[in-house]
Amino acid sequence: MTKNLLILLLMIVAFGCKKNSDDDTKLYKWKRDLYRARVQRDEPAVFFSRDPKVTGNTDAVYLSTDYVILTEYRKDKQQDSIYKASGRMQAYKYEKIESFEE
């Protein structure tokens, strides 16, 4: 019984310490567009997803574009951060431009 418990604990530690992303060191250049949710008459001005999917989305209002160099993991963190900090009113749309070799 204790042997099985020890094996179970070792497996939990081994899989629990796994890195979040295996692409956390490779840098990419991203085109980053910032969008704001359109104000509706009787509804809140929010996106229902952190990715605005602006193709065919009439609720997305374009604000700005910039270019950043980030890893895939950091891109996801920034996308979540602006979405949550703005109360779901703003969202980044990323497009991968190029990859940097190390």
Side-chain angles (χ1 to χ4, degrees), residues 35 38 40 47 51-61 93:
Y35 289 89
R38 185 179 307 278
Q40 303 290 333
F47 286 113
D51 185 13
K53 294 187 179 28
V54 296
T55 309
N57 185 354
T58 60
D59 294 334
V61 177
K93 178 182 176 251

Side-chain angles (χ1 to χ4, degrees), residues 3-45:
K3 181 180 176 183
N4 290 340
L5 184 60
L6 182 62
I7 291 173
L8 179 65
L9 288 174
L10 286 173
M11 288 179 60
I12 290 172
V13 169
F15 291 114
C17 295
K18 192 174 178 182
K19 195 174 176 183
N20 287 342
S21 171
D22 59 349
D23 197 21
D24 195 28
T25 58
K26 188 166 174 102
L27 294 173
Y28 299 98
K29 184 174 183 179
W30 301 88
K31 177 183 174 192
R32 180 172 69 180
D33 297 329
L34 180 61
Y35 289 89
R36 177 181 56 80
R38 185 179 307 278
V39 177
Q40 303 290 333
R41 175 167 281 200
D42 294 326
E43 298 175 18

Side-chain angles (χ1 to χ4, degrees), residues 82-98:
I82 191 71
Y83 180 69
K84 291 175 183 174
S86 68
R88 300 181 354 198
M89 288 183 66
Q90 294 182 343
Y92 281 133
K93 178 182 176 251
Y94 286 89
E95 179 183 339
K96 195 181 293 185
I97 304 296
E98 64 183 282

Side-chain angles (χ1 to χ4, degrees), residues 69-88:
I69 297 174
L70 300 167
T71 63
E72 189 89 32
Y73 176 74
R74 291 290 170 200
K75 185 255 323 173
D76 291 339
K77 287 293 226 185
Q78 282 190 9
Q79 197 168 24
D80 286 340
S81 177
I82 191 71
Y83 180 69
K84 291 175 183 174
S86 68
R88 300 181 354 198

